[in-house]
PDB file of all heavy atoms in Angstrom:
ATOM      1  N   ASP A1601     193.687  99.467 110.449  1.00 98.00           N
ATOM      2  CA  ASP A1601     193.014 100.053 111.608  1.00 98.00           C
ATOM      3  C   ASP A1601     191.517 100.250 111.310  1.00 98.00           C
ATOM      4  O   ASP A1601     191.148 100.936 110.358  1.00 98.00           O
ATOM      5  CB  ASP A1601     193.703 101.412 111.878  1.00 98.00           C
ATOM      6  CG  ASP A1601     193.267 102.019 113.187  1.00 98.00           C
ATOM      7  OD1 ASP A1601     192.064 101.961 113.489  1.00 98.00           O
ATOM      8  OD2 ASP A1601     194.135 102.556 113.896  1.00 98.00           O
ATOM      9  N   GLN A1602     190.697  99.649 112.148  1.00 97.00           N
ATOM     10  CA  GLN A1602     189.232  99.737 111.952  1.00 97.00           C
ATOM     11  C   GLN A1602     188.737 101.181 112.038  1.00 97.00           C
ATOM     12  O   GLN A1602     187.802 101.564 111.336  1.00 97.00           O
ATOM     13  CB  GLN A1602     188.506  98.889 113.005  1.00 97.00           C
ATOM     14  CG  GLN A1602     188.596  97.394 112.757  1.00 97.00           C
ATOM     15  CD  GLN A1602     188.011  96.982 111.396  1.00 97.00           C
ATOM     16  OE1 GLN A1602     186.962  97.469 110.978  1.00 97.00           O
ATOM     17  NE2 GLN A1602     188.700  96.096 110.689  1.00 97.00           N
ATOM     18  N   ASN A1603     189.370 101.979 112.912  1.00 97.00           N
ATOM     19  CA  ASN A1603     188.936 103.381 113.036  1.00 97.00           C
ATOM     20  C   ASN A1603     189.231 104.167 111.773  1.00 97.00           C
ATOM     21  O   ASN A1603     188.445 105.003 111.349  1.00 97.00           O
ATOM     22  CB  ASN A1603     189.617 104.064 114.231  1.00 97.00           C
ATOM     23  CG  ASN A1603     189.097 103.506 115.528  1.00 97.00           C
ATOM     24  OD1 ASN A1603     187.936 103.129 115.618  1.00 97.00           O
ATOM     25  ND2 ASN A1603     189.974 103.419 116.525  1.00 97.00           N
ATOM     26  N   VAL A1604     190.395 103.891 111.180  1.00 97.00           N
ATOM     27  CA  VAL A1604     190.747 104.562 109.920  1.00 97.00           C
ATOM     28  C   VAL A1604     189.709 104.185 108.857  1.00 97.00           C
ATOM     29  O   VAL A1604     189.192 105.045 108.136  1.00 97.00           O
ATOM     30  CB  VAL A1604     192.176 104.163 109.467  1.00 97.00           C
ATOM     31  CG1 VAL A1604     192.447 104.612 108.032  1.00 97.00           C
ATOM     32  CG2 VAL A1604     193.224 104.747 110.415  1.00 97.00           C
ATOM     33  N   LEU A1605     189.373 102.908 108.781  1.00 97.00           N
ATOM     34  CA  LEU A1605     188.381 102.451 107.785  1.00 97.00           C
ATOM     35  C   LEU A1605     187.030 103.130 108.028  1.00 97.00           C
ATOM     36  O   LEU A1605     186.391 103.603 107.098  1.00 97.00           O
ATOM     37  CB  LEU A1605     188.205 100.934 107.871  1.00 97.00           C
ATOM     38  CG  LEU A1605     189.315 100.094 107.247  1.00 97.00           C
ATOM     39  CD1 LEU A1605     189.099  98.615 107.546  1.00 97.00           C
ATOM     40  CD2 LEU A1605     189.395 100.302 105.736  1.00 97.00           C
ATOM     41  N   LYS A1606     186.647 103.195 109.296  1.00 95.00           N
ATOM     42  CA  LYS A1606     185.341 103.785 109.641  1.00 95.00           C
ATOM     43  C   LYS A1606     185.324 105.271 109.285  1.00 95.00           C
ATOM     44  O   LYS A1606     184.404 105.771 108.650  1.00 95.00           O
ATOM     45  CB  LYS A1606     185.080 103.598 111.145  1.00 95.00           C
ATOM     46  CG  LYS A1606     183.638 103.194 111.433  1.00 95.00           C
ATOM     47  CD  LYS A1606     183.370 102.998 112.911  1.00 95.00           C
ATOM     48  CE  LYS A1606     183.970 101.690 113.437  1.00 95.00           C
ATOM     49  NZ  LYS A1606     184.144 101.667 114.889  1.00 95.00           N
ATOM     50  N   GLU A1607     186.394 105.983 109.687  1.00 94.00           N
ATOM     51  CA  GLU A1607     186.445 107.424 109.414  1.00 94.00           C
ATOM     52  C   GLU A1607     186.435 107.695 107.913  1.00 94.00           C
ATOM     53  O   GLU A1607     185.830 108.649 107.449  1.00 94.00           O
ATOM     54  CB  GLU A1607     187.713 108.031 110.022  1.00 94.00           C
ATOM     55  CG  GLU A1607     187.638 108.207 111.535  1.00 94.00           C
ATOM     56  CD  GLU A1607     189.013 108.407 112.151  1.00 94.00           C
ATOM     57  OE1 GLU A1607     189.903 108.961 111.473  1.00 94.00           O
ATOM     58  OE2 GLU A1607     189.191 107.989 113.305  1.00 94.00           O
ATOM     59  N   CYS A1608     187.135 106.839 107.168  1.00 95.00           N
ATOM     60  CA  CYS A1608     187.247 107.076 105.724  1.00 95.00           C
ATOM     61  C   CYS A1608     185.966 106.730 104.988  1.00 95.00           C
ATOM     62  O   CYS A1608     185.693 107.291 103.935  1.00 95.00           O
ATOM     63  CB  CYS A1608     188.421 106.288 105.145  1.00 95.00           C
ATOM     64  SG  CYS A1608     189.972 107.085 105.550  1.00 95.00           S
ATOM     65  N   SER A1609     185.177 105.827 105.551  1.00 89.00           N
ATOM     66  CA  SER A1609     183.963 105.427 104.822  1.00 89.00           C
ATOM     67  C   SER A1609     183.038 106.631 104.644  1.00 89.00           C
ATOM     68  O   SER A1609     182.312 106.728 103.666  1.00 89.00           O
ATOM     69  CB  SER A1609     183.262 104.268 105.520  1.00 89.00           C
ATOM     70  OG  SER A1609     182.759 104.713 106.747  1.00 89.00           O
ATOM     71  N   GLY A1610     183.117 107.605 105.551  1.00 84.00           N
ATOM     72  CA  GLY A1610     182.307 108.819 105.429  1.00 84.00           C
ATOM     73  C   GLY A1610     182.802 109.766 104.344  1.00 84.00           C
ATOM     74  O   GLY A1610     182.074 110.647 103.909  1.00 84.00           O
ATOM     75  N   LYS A1611     184.042 109.593 103.911  1.00 83.00           N
ATOM     76  CA  LYS A1611     184.626 110.524 102.932  1.00 83.00           C
ATOM     77  C   LYS A1611     184.610 109.941 101.516  1.00 83.00           C
ATOM     78  O   LYS A1611     185.042 110.562 100.569  1.00 83.00           O
ATOM     79  CB  LYS A1611     186.093 110.797 103.297  1.00 83.00           C
ATOM     80  CG  LYS A1611     186.285 111.442 104.655  1.00 83.00           C
ATOM     81  CD  LYS A1611     187.755 111.815 104.807  1.00 83.00           C
ATOM     82  CE  LYS A1611     188.218 112.277 106.134  1.00 83.00           C
ATOM     83  NZ  LYS A1611     187.389 112.729 107.166  1.00 83.00           N
ATOM     84  N   LEU A1612     184.145 108.690 101.397  1.00 83.00           N
ATOM     85  CA  LEU A1612     184.349 107.928 100.167  1.00 83.00           C
ATOM     86  C   LEU A1612     183.513 108.345  98.972  1.00 83.00           C
ATOM     87  O   LEU A1612     182.317 108.537  99.095  1.00 83.00           O
ATOM     88  CB  LEU A1612     184.009 106.451 100.431  1.00 83.00           C
ATOM     89  CG  LEU A1612     185.103 105.568 100.953  1.00 83.00           C
ATOM     90  CD1 LEU A1612     184.612 104.145 100.978  1.00 83.00           C
ATOM     91  CD2 LEU A1612     186.343 105.670 100.074  1.00 83.00           C
ATOM     92  N   LYS A1613     184.188 108.440  97.824  1.00 83.00           N
ATOM     93  CA  LYS A1613     183.466 108.446  96.550  1.00 83.00           C
ATOM     94  C   LYS A1613     183.897 107.205  95.775  1.00 83.00           C
ATOM     95  O   LYS A1613     183.153 106.664  94.987  1.00 83.00           O
ATOM     96  CB  LYS A1613     183.765 109.720  95.767  1.00 83.00           C
ATOM     97  CG  LYS A1613     183.067 110.930  96.345  1.00 83.00           C
ATOM     98  CD  LYS A1613     183.070 112.098  95.387  1.00 83.00           C
ATOM     99  CE  LYS A1613     182.713 113.385  96.102  1.00 83.00           C
ATOM    100  NZ  LYS A1613     183.439 114.545  95.586  1.00 83.00           N
ATOM    101  N   GLY A1614     185.144 106.770  96.000  1.00 83.00           N
ATOM    102  CA  GLY A1614     185.617 105.509  95.420  1.00 83.00           C
ATOM    103  C   GLY A1614     185.171 104.376  96.324  1.00 83.00           C
ATOM    104  O   GLY A1614     184.086 104.435  96.903  1.00 83.00           O
ATOM    105  N   SER A1615     186.002 103.345  96.484  1.00 93.00           N
ATOM    106  CA  SER A1615     185.610 102.256  97.385  1.00 93.00           C
ATOM    107  C   SER A1615     186.839 101.676  98.067  1.00 93.00           C
ATOM    108  O   SER A1615     187.936 101.682  97.501  1.00 93.00           O
ATOM    109  CB  SER A1615     184.882 101.163  96.602  1.00 93.00           C
ATOM    110  OG  SER A1615     185.776 100.548  95.700  1.00 93.00           O
ATOM    111  N   ILE A1616     186.653 101.214  99.301  1.00 96.00           N
ATOM    112  CA  ILE A1616     187.740 100.571 100.033  1.00 96.00           C
ATOM    113  C   ILE A1616     187.195  99.270 100.606  1.00 96.00           C
ATOM    114  O   ILE A1616     186.203  99.289 101.346  1.00 96.00           O
ATOM    115  CB  ILE A1616     188.272 101.484 101.158  1.00 96.00           C
ATOM    116  CG1 ILE A1616     188.868 102.754 100.548  1.00 96.00           C
ATOM    117  CG2 ILE A1616     189.337 100.754 101.988  1.00 96.00           C
ATOM    118  CD1 ILE A1616     189.246 103.821 101.540  1.00 96.00           C
ATOM    119  N   THR A1617     187.817  98.165 100.233  1.00 96.00           N
ATOM    120  CA  THR A1617     187.362  96.882 100.759  1.00 96.00           C
ATOM    121  C   THR A1617     188.554  96.088 101.284  1.00 96.00           C
ATOM    122  O   THR A1617     189.688  96.301 100.856  1.00 96.00           O
ATOM    123  CB  THR A1617     186.630  96.041  99.688  1.00 96.00           C
ATOM    124  OG1 THR A1617     187.444  96.022  98.504  1.00 96.00           O
ATOM    125  CG2 THR A1617     185.275  96.593  99.330  1.00 96.00           C
ATOM    126  N   VAL A1618     188.270  95.196 102.220  1.00 98.00           N
ATOM    127  CA  VAL A1618     189.326  94.361 102.810  1.00 98.00           C
ATOM    128  C   VAL A1618     188.933  92.892 102.625  1.00 98.00           C
ATOM    129  O   VAL A1618     187.779  92.529 102.843  1.00 98.00           O
ATOM    130  CB  VAL A1618     189.502  94.667 104.315  1.00 98.00           C
ATOM    131  CG1 VAL A1618     190.657  93.864 104.898  1.00 98.00           C
ATOM    132  CG2 VAL A1618     189.739  96.162 104.549  1.00 98.00           C
ATOM    133  N   THR A1619     189.903  92.091 102.181  1.00 98.00           N
ATOM    134  CA  THR A1619     189.667  90.660 101.985  1.00 98.00           C
ATOM    135  C   THR A1619     190.857  89.887 102.553  1.00 98.00           C
ATOM    136  O   THR A1619     191.887  90.477 102.890  1.00 98.00           O
ATOM    137  CB  THR A1619     189.468  90.350 100.474  1.00 98.00           C
ATOM    138  OG1 THR A1619     189.592  88.950 100.257  1.00 98.00           O
ATOM    139  CG2 THR A1619     190.497  91.027  99.602  1.00 98.00           C
ATOM    140  N   ASN A1620     190.718  88.556 102.631  1.00 98.00           N
ATOM    141  CA  ASN A1620     191.864  87.719 103.013  1.00 98.00           C
ATOM    142  C   ASN A1620     192.450  87.033 101.788  1.00 98.00           C
ATOM    143  O   ASN A1620     193.327  86.187 101.920  1.00 98.00           O
ATOM    144  CB  ASN A1620     191.430  86.626 104.010  1.00 98.00           C
ATOM    145  CG  ASN A1620     190.841  87.197 105.271  1.00 98.00           C
ATOM    146  OD1 ASN A1620     189.799  86.742 105.712  1.00 98.00           O
ATOM    147  ND2 ASN A1620     191.489  88.179 105.855  1.00 98.00           N
ATOM    148  N   ASP A1621     191.955  87.372 100.603  1.00 98.00           N
ATOM    149  CA  ASP A1621     192.334  86.633  99.400  1.00 98.00           C
ATOM    150  C   ASP A1621     193.144  87.516  98.430  1.00 98.00           C
ATOM    151  O   ASP A1621     192.573  88.338  97.707  1.00 98.00           O
ATOM    152  CB  ASP A1621     191.046  86.142  98.719  1.00 98.00           C
ATOM    153  CG  ASP A1621     191.340  85.284  97.498  1.00 98.00           C
ATOM    154  OD1 ASP A1621     192.521  85.171  97.108  1.00 98.00           O
ATOM    155  OD2 ASP A1621     190.383  84.743  96.930  1.00 98.00           O
ATOM    156  N   PRO A1622     194.473  87.339  98.397  1.00 98.00           N
ATOM    157  CA  PRO A1622     195.302  88.162  97.515  1.00 98.00           C
ATOM    158  C   PRO A1622     194.898  88.057  96.043  1.00 98.00           C
ATOM    159  O   PRO A1622     194.908  89.062  95.325  1.00 98.00           O
ATOM    160  CB  PRO A1622     196.718  87.607  97.718  1.00 98.00           C
ATOM    161  CG  PRO A1622     196.688  86.863  98.997  1.00 98.00           C
ATOM    162  CD  PRO A1622     195.283  86.389  99.190  1.00 98.00           C
ATOM    163  N   ALA A1623     194.488  86.859  95.600  1.00 98.00           N
ATOM    164  CA  ALA A1623     194.122  86.670  94.184  1.00 98.00           C
ATOM    165  C   ALA A1623     192.873  87.480  93.847  1.00 98.00           C
ATOM    166  O   ALA A1623     192.783  88.081  92.767  1.00 98.00           O
ATOM    167  CB  ALA A1623     193.898  85.192  93.899  1.00 98.00           C
ATOM    168  N   GLU A1624     191.935  87.520  94.786  1.00 98.00           N
ATOM    169  CA  GLU A1624     190.704  88.302  94.564  1.00 98.00           C
ATOM    170  C   GLU A1624     191.045  89.795  94.522  1.00 98.00           C
ATOM    171  O   GLU A1624     190.570  90.538  93.668  1.00 98.00           O
ATOM    172  CB  GLU A1624     189.732  88.011  95.721  1.00 98.00           C
ATOM    173  CG  GLU A1624     188.429  88.763  95.660  1.00 98.00           C
ATOM    174  CD  GLU A1624     187.693  88.697  97.009  1.00 98.00           C
ATOM    175  OE1 GLU A1624     187.720  87.639  97.660  1.00 98.00           O
ATOM    176  OE2 GLU A1624     187.126  89.741  97.410  1.00 98.00           O
TER     177      GLU A1624
END
Side-chain angles (χ1 to χ4, degrees):
D1601 190 318
Q1602 286 301 318
N1603 290 327
V1604 168
L1605 283 173
K1606 222 180 285 160
E1607 284 163 30
C1608 284
S1609 67
K1611 299 187 189 343
L1612 272 187
K1613 286 195 195 144
S1615 66
I1616 297 172
T1617 49
V1618 184
T1619 165
N1620 300 133
D1621 184 353
E1624 179 195 321

